[in-house]
Amino acid sequence: MAEFLSQANLARVSREVRRPAYDRRTVDIGIVHFGPGAFHRVHQAWFVEKLLASDPRWGICAVSLRSTDLRDALVPQDGLYTLAALDGSTSYQVIGALKQTLVAPEDPETVLEQLCAPRTRVVTITVTEKGYCLGADGNLDMAHGDIRRDLRSPHSPTSLIGYLVEALKRRRANGIGPLTIVSCDNLVDNGTRLARAVQQLAEAGDRNLARWIEEKVAFPRTMVDSITPATTDALRDRVAEVLGMTDRWPVQREGFVQWVIEDRSAADIPDWASAGVIVTDDVEAYDRAKLRLLNGAHSSLAYLGLLAGHETVTQAMEDMDLAAFIATMMERDILPTLKAPRGLDLALYIQAILKRFHNPAIRHALAQIAWDGSQKLPFRLLGTLQDNLQAGRPIDRLCVPIAAWMHFVRRKAADGEQVVDPLARRLYDIGRSCQNRAAADLPMFLGLDTVFAPSLAGNEIFSSALARAYDGLAAGS
Ligand code: CS2
């Protein structure tokens, strides 16, 4: 019978594995997190783990908005899981920061009770771009199915935004005070966008609540960074061997990890800086630099690498022509659109990113990065492209990964497959209608107004450069 990681077995975990450096029984929940996927567990939870050694007020209640998988894996382990950091050598750490794991649809009232508890003062969020229910204009999409349900039944929410508004409504009504709500997703100006969505849903039901939220609740912007491949059976086997017992859901990341949080809060918050978080008023520069350089390059590698038959980031980076193209695009097309954060040399930052992409210890699947392209491309590549258009700079290289995404969709549909994307059904229909010719195919893609703003889709310089890129890839595919 396999022995599983748990509080009772923790003392028997191999000595080479770091364990919680604090008594978990003394830890209170001070943070509610929405979206406890692998990235939350390797990133925010790792920083909180460092904090708990000196301040036990900041335990995490993890809330899944849909899946029961994490709850099913972690509850039998008393919330414990293993984090493997892979670089030249691999280090292992058992994380104890998750004090409770809830599945919102099963128990909405308990989620709201945790959000309304006086000791809860921070909410952190990793629900990916699609979890914010935003339209192309950056406003809350009031026609979104989850938002329509929340408008009908605000007391029993479905969406992240619905939970936040109902919790803030109850906190205000009971005099419990505001929250600091920290988006940790890869959106440009994530905190600002989240604040706008929360205020818009609140406004729809209670103007005074919307005004209170605007005055009292803090939505700091953040930049988050650590390359986090999905958990594999190989990782599970390696962790079981190192621990000397089974962890149902270990997680892995590269050694590099960075969190930049805007210096803005509503009430008492953790001493983030003591855990190595960069707390600054310059978050916008960090945010754009990372999203456009790292994530823009990542998505470009994903679609161009998959077209070339590669499976992982390291394989794509070993393709000398592709690696050279990516480096040139970063230096000549993305870098000119950026303002360097104070103290950061962007040319060195690019070299550091490319070195991270070469990390042989990380098997990062291009297919994983390729998910949700309709949500990612606007922040990662189209914003850069529009800035270059506006400045009269060339956009031909930037059009290549956009065209590659379109071919990725087309080829998947030709194989009878849908891509992983909130627009999967629509993209499949477009893909099935493609003829592998720009003249026939591009108007269908450019008609996706939640991806391509009409002003961009109608721009002749853009559409002709994109057509050249698309037909150029068609010739080569
Ligand atoms: C990746 C990101 O899957 C993806 O879209 O580009 O998860 C990337 O690994 C992180 O943003 C790195 O910080």
mmCIF file of all heavy atoms in Angstrom, residues 39 129 186 224-228 254 290 294-295 298-299 356 364 368-371 376 380, ligand 1:
data_model
loop_
_atom_site.group_PDB
_atom_site.id
_atom_site.type_symbol
_atom_site.label_atom_id
_atom_site.label_comp_id
_atom_site.label_asym_id
_atom_site.label_seq_id
_atom_site.Cartn_x
_atom_site.Cartn_y
_atom_site.Cartn_z
ATOM 1 N N PHE A 39 0.512 27.177 -11.462
ATOM 2 C CA PHE A 39 1.277 28.432 -11.347
ATOM 3 C C PHE A 39 1.104 29.044 -9.963
ATOM 4 O O PHE A 39 2.063 29.514 -9.349
ATOM 5 C CB PHE A 39 0.870 29.435 -12.432
ATOM 6 C CG PHE A 39 1.753 30.660 -12.414
ATOM 7 C CD1 PHE A 39 3.061 30.581 -12.859
ATOM 8 C CD2 PHE A 39 1.299 31.856 -11.896
ATOM 9 C CE1 PHE A 39 3.903 31.680 -12.807
ATOM 10 C CE2 PHE A 39 2.128 32.965 -11.836
ATOM 11 C CZ PHE A 39 3.444 32.875 -12.292
ATOM 12 N N GLU A 129 -6.563 34.547 -18.466
ATOM 13 C CA GLU A 129 -7.213 35.694 -19.109
ATOM 14 C C GLU A 129 -8.732 35.497 -19.189
ATOM 15 O O GLU A 129 -9.512 36.422 -18.960
ATOM 16 C CB GLU A 129 -6.623 35.878 -20.505
ATOM 17 C CG GLU A 129 -5.124 36.181 -20.551
ATOM 18 C CD GLU A 129 -4.216 34.956 -20.534
ATOM 19 O OE1 GLU A 129 -4.677 33.846 -20.180
ATOM 20 O OE2 GLU A 129 -3.026 35.109 -20.849
ATOM 21 N N ASN A 186 -1.584 37.030 -16.466
ATOM 22 C CA ASN A 186 -0.818 37.692 -17.528
ATOM 23 C C ASN A 186 -1.698 38.596 -18.373
ATOM 24 O O ASN A 186 -1.930 38.330 -19.555
ATOM 25 C CB ASN A 186 -0.157 36.633 -18.423
ATOM 26 C CG ASN A 186 1.054 36.002 -17.777
ATOM 27 O OD1 ASN A 186 1.786 36.661 -17.035
ATOM 28 N ND2 ASN A 186 1.259 34.724 -18.030
ATOM 29 N N VAL A 224 3.950 38.762 -12.798
ATOM 30 C CA VAL A 224 4.334 37.466 -12.228
ATOM 31 C C VAL A 224 5.182 36.714 -13.243
ATOM 32 O O VAL A 224 4.948 36.822 -14.448
ATOM 33 C CB VAL A 224 3.096 36.625 -11.865
ATOM 34 C CG1 VAL A 224 2.333 37.242 -10.715
ATOM 35 C CG2 VAL A 224 2.180 36.421 -13.059
ATOM 36 N N ASP A 225 6.161 35.957 -12.769
ATOM 37 C CA ASP A 225 7.027 35.282 -13.736
ATOM 38 C C ASP A 225 7.687 34.056 -13.122
ATOM 39 O O ASP A 225 8.405 34.154 -12.127
ATOM 40 C CB ASP A 225 8.121 36.249 -14.224
ATOM 41 C CG ASP A 225 8.889 35.694 -15.429
ATOM 42 O OD1 ASP A 225 8.546 34.586 -15.892
ATOM 43 O OD2 ASP A 225 9.828 36.366 -15.882
ATOM 44 N N SER A 226 7.415 32.895 -13.701
ATOM 45 C CA SER A 226 8.199 31.691 -13.495
ATOM 46 C C SER A 226 7.675 30.658 -14.489
ATOM 47 O O SER A 226 6.456 30.444 -14.567
ATOM 48 C CB SER A 226 8.064 31.127 -12.072
ATOM 49 O OG SER A 226 9.020 30.095 -11.903
ATOM 50 N N ILE A 227 8.539 30.075 -15.256
ATOM 51 C CA ILE A 227 8.126 29.092 -16.274
ATOM 52 C C ILE A 227 7.718 27.805 -15.566
ATOM 53 O O ILE A 227 8.499 27.254 -14.771
ATOM 54 C CB ILE A 227 9.256 28.872 -17.282
ATOM 55 C CG1 ILE A 227 9.422 30.150 -18.133
ATOM 56 C CG2 ILE A 227 8.978 27.654 -18.183
ATOM 57 C CD1 ILE A 227 10.604 30.139 -19.078
ATOM 58 N N THR A 228 6.494 27.363 -15.833
ATOM 59 C CA THR A 228 5.853 26.311 -15.018
ATOM 60 C C THR A 228 5.244 25.243 -15.918
ATOM 61 O O THR A 228 4.080 25.319 -16.295
ATOM 62 C CB THR A 228 4.746 26.945 -14.160
ATOM 63 O OG1 THR A 228 5.303 28.021 -13.409
ATOM 64 C CG2 THR A 228 4.099 25.926 -13.229
ATOM 65 N N GLU A 254 10.882 26.349 -13.157
ATOM 66 C CA GLU A 254 12.291 26.673 -13.303
ATOM 67 C C GLU A 254 12.780 27.266 -11.976
ATOM 68 O O GLU A 254 11.973 27.589 -11.072
ATOM 69 C CB GLU A 254 12.473 27.689 -14.439
ATOM 70 C CG GLU A 254 11.808 29.032 -14.161
ATOM 71 C CD GLU A 254 12.051 30.076 -15.224
ATOM 72 O OE1 GLU A 254 13.151 30.075 -15.831
ATOM 73 O OE2 GLU A 254 11.149 30.901 -15.453
ATOM 74 N N LYS A 290 7.768 42.170 -19.440
ATOM 75 C CA LYS A 290 7.661 40.712 -19.330
ATOM 76 C C LYS A 290 6.629 40.152 -20.300
ATOM 77 O O LYS A 290 6.873 39.165 -20.997
ATOM 78 C CB LYS A 290 7.293 40.341 -17.879
ATOM 79 C CG LYS A 290 7.336 38.854 -17.588
ATOM 80 C CD LYS A 290 5.965 38.220 -17.708
ATOM 81 C CE LYS A 290 6.018 36.744 -17.437
ATOM 82 N NZ LYS A 290 4.677 36.119 -17.434
ATOM 83 N N LEU A 294 8.916 38.206 -22.844
ATOM 84 C CA LEU A 294 8.876 36.776 -22.554
ATOM 85 C C LEU A 294 7.646 36.116 -23.169
ATOM 86 O O LEU A 294 7.754 35.174 -23.957
ATOM 87 C CB LEU A 294 8.892 36.505 -21.043
ATOM 88 C CG LEU A 294 9.016 35.016 -20.691
ATOM 89 C CD1 LEU A 294 9.810 34.819 -19.411
ATOM 90 C CD2 LEU A 294 7.680 34.299 -20.570
ATOM 91 N N ASN A 295 6.466 36.628 -22.839
ATOM 92 C CA ASN A 295 5.250 35.948 -23.317
ATOM 93 C C ASN A 295 5.045 36.118 -24.823
ATOM 94 O O ASN A 295 4.551 35.200 -25.498
ATOM 95 C CB ASN A 295 4.026 36.430 -22.543
ATOM 96 C CG ASN A 295 4.069 36.022 -21.077
ATOM 97 O OD1 ASN A 295 4.208 36.853 -20.197
ATOM 98 N ND2 ASN A 295 3.980 34.713 -20.806
ATOM 99 N N HIS A 298 7.303 33.612 -26.196
ATOM 100 C CA HIS A 298 6.778 32.265 -25.912
ATOM 101 C C HIS A 298 5.689 31.871 -26.911
ATOM 102 O O HIS A 298 5.714 30.792 -27.511
ATOM 103 C CB HIS A 298 6.179 32.250 -24.503
ATOM 104 C CG HIS A 298 6.874 31.298 -23.585
ATOM 105 N ND1 HIS A 298 6.430 31.061 -22.324
ATOM 106 C CD2 HIS A 298 7.989 30.531 -23.735
ATOM 107 C CE1 HIS A 298 7.213 30.170 -21.739
ATOM 108 N NE2 HIS A 298 8.173 29.854 -22.560
ATOM 109 N N SER A 299 4.723 32.741 -27.110
ATOM 110 C CA SER A 299 3.626 32.412 -28.032
ATOM 111 C C SER A 299 4.157 32.284 -29.454
ATOM 112 O O SER A 299 3.715 31.409 -30.214
ATOM 113 C CB SER A 299 2.533 33.484 -27.953
ATOM 114 O OG SER A 299 1.861 33.397 -26.693
ATOM 115 N N ARG A 356 16.826 31.279 -20.306
ATOM 116 C CA ARG A 356 15.800 30.493 -19.607
ATOM 117 C C ARG A 356 15.076 29.562 -20.573
ATOM 118 O O ARG A 356 14.759 28.433 -20.253
ATOM 119 C CB ARG A 356 14.812 31.419 -18.902
ATOM 120 C CG ARG A 356 15.367 32.143 -17.699
ATOM 121 C CD ARG A 356 14.477 33.294 -17.284
ATOM 122 N NE ARG A 356 13.145 32.846 -16.883
ATOM 123 C CZ ARG A 356 12.105 33.675 -16.718
ATOM 124 N NH1 ARG A 356 12.240 34.979 -16.938
ATOM 125 N NH2 ARG A 356 10.935 33.219 -16.338
ATOM 126 N N HIS A 364 9.043 22.081 -21.509
ATOM 127 C CA HIS A 364 7.846 22.929 -21.570
ATOM 128 C C HIS A 364 7.159 22.705 -22.916
ATOM 129 O O HIS A 364 7.694 23.073 -23.969
ATOM 130 C CB HIS A 364 8.237 24.395 -21.417
ATOM 131 C CG HIS A 364 7.103 25.267 -20.970
ATOM 132 N ND1 HIS A 364 7.237 26.604 -20.738
ATOM 133 C CD2 HIS A 364 5.796 24.990 -20.717
ATOM 134 C CE1 HIS A 364 6.074 27.113 -20.361
ATOM 135 N NE2 HIS A 364 5.185 26.144 -20.334
ATOM 136 N N GLN A 368 1.084 23.395 -24.739
ATOM 137 C CA GLN A 368 0.514 24.017 -23.531
ATOM 138 C C GLN A 368 0.517 25.539 -23.685
ATOM 139 O O GLN A 368 -0.450 26.217 -23.370
ATOM 140 C CB GLN A 368 1.319 23.610 -22.289
ATOM 141 C CG GLN A 368 0.855 24.245 -20.986
ATOM 142 C CD GLN A 368 1.819 24.012 -19.818
ATOM 143 O OE1 GLN A 368 2.660 23.117 -19.848
ATOM 144 N NE2 GLN A 368 1.701 24.823 -18.784
ATOM 145 N N ILE A 369 1.611 26.066 -24.207
ATOM 146 C CA ILE A 369 1.716 27.532 -24.389
ATOM 147 C C ILE A 369 0.733 27.996 -25.465
ATOM 148 O O ILE A 369 0.231 29.105 -25.447
ATOM 149 C CB ILE A 369 3.156 27.920 -24.757
ATOM 150 C CG1 ILE A 369 4.113 27.484 -23.642
ATOM 151 C CG2 ILE A 369 3.289 29.403 -25.032
ATOM 152 C CD1 ILE A 369 5.582 27.592 -23.996
ATOM 153 N N ALA A 370 0.415 27.088 -26.392
ATOM 154 C CA ALA A 370 -0.472 27.438 -27.517
ATOM 155 C C ALA A 370 -1.931 27.592 -27.086
ATOM 156 O O ALA A 370 -2.744 28.111 -27.854
ATOM 157 C CB ALA A 370 -0.362 26.375 -28.611
ATOM 158 N N TRP A 371 -2.266 27.154 -25.851
ATOM 159 C CA TRP A 371 -3.660 27.295 -25.415
ATOM 160 C C TRP A 371 -4.103 28.761 -25.414
ATOM 161 O O TRP A 371 -3.301 29.677 -25.180
ATOM 162 C CB TRP A 371 -3.826 26.772 -23.973
ATOM 163 C CG TRP A 371 -3.684 25.292 -23.817
ATOM 164 C CD1 TRP A 371 -3.615 24.341 -24.811
ATOM 165 C CD2 TRP A 371 -3.584 24.597 -22.576
ATOM 166 N NE1 TRP A 371 -3.471 23.087 -24.249
ATOM 167 C CE2 TRP A 371 -3.459 23.209 -22.876
ATOM 168 C CE3 TRP A 371 -3.600 24.983 -21.239
ATOM 169 C CZ2 TRP A 371 -3.344 22.229 -21.896
ATOM 170 C CZ3 TRP A 371 -3.478 24.014 -20.256
ATOM 171 C CH2 TRP A 371 -3.353 22.657 -20.588
ATOM 172 N N LYS A 376 -4.612 35.460 -25.500
ATOM 173 C CA LYS A 376 -3.219 35.842 -25.202
ATOM 174 C C LYS A 376 -2.659 36.813 -26.243
ATOM 175 O O LYS A 376 -1.917 37.742 -25.895
ATOM 176 C CB LYS A 376 -2.338 34.592 -25.150
ATOM 177 C CG LYS A 376 -2.645 33.653 -23.976
ATOM 178 C CD LYS A 376 -1.771 32.410 -24.038
ATOM 179 C CE LYS A 376 -2.043 31.470 -22.863
ATOM 180 N NZ LYS A 376 -1.208 30.222 -22.925
ATOM 181 N N ARG A 380 0.047 39.939 -25.839
ATOM 182 C CA ARG A 380 1.434 39.509 -26.010
ATOM 183 C C ARG A 380 2.072 40.024 -27.298
ATOM 184 O O ARG A 380 3.266 40.265 -27.340
ATOM 185 C CB ARG A 380 1.493 37.984 -26.011
ATOM 186 C CG ARG A 380 1.042 37.383 -24.689
ATOM 187 C CD ARG A 380 1.122 35.874 -24.712
ATOM 188 N NE ARG A 380 0.802 35.320 -23.394
ATOM 189 C CZ ARG A 380 1.183 34.131 -22.976
ATOM 190 N NH1 ARG A 380 1.878 33.338 -23.774
ATOM 191 N NH2 ARG A 380 0.866 33.707 -21.770
HETATM 192 C C1 CS2 B 1 3.382 30.738 -21.001
HETATM 193 C C2 CS2 B 1 3.349 31.351 -19.615
HETATM 194 O O1 CS2 B 1 1.765 29.026 -21.093
HETATM 195 C C3 CS2 B 1 2.027 30.198 -21.410
HETATM 196 O O2 CS2 B 1 1.255 30.957 -22.012
HETATM 197 O O3 CS2 B 1 3.817 31.749 -21.901
HETATM 198 O O4 CS2 B 1 2.687 30.502 -18.698
HETATM 199 C C4 CS2 B 1 4.778 31.584 -19.134
HETATM 200 O O5 CS2 B 1 5.430 30.330 -18.913
HETATM 201 C C5 CS2 B 1 4.796 32.396 -17.852
HETATM 202 O O6 CS2 B 1 4.109 33.624 -18.049
HETATM 203 C C6 CS2 B 1 6.233 32.677 -17.457
HETATM 204 O O7 CS2 B 1 6.262 33.570 -16.388
#
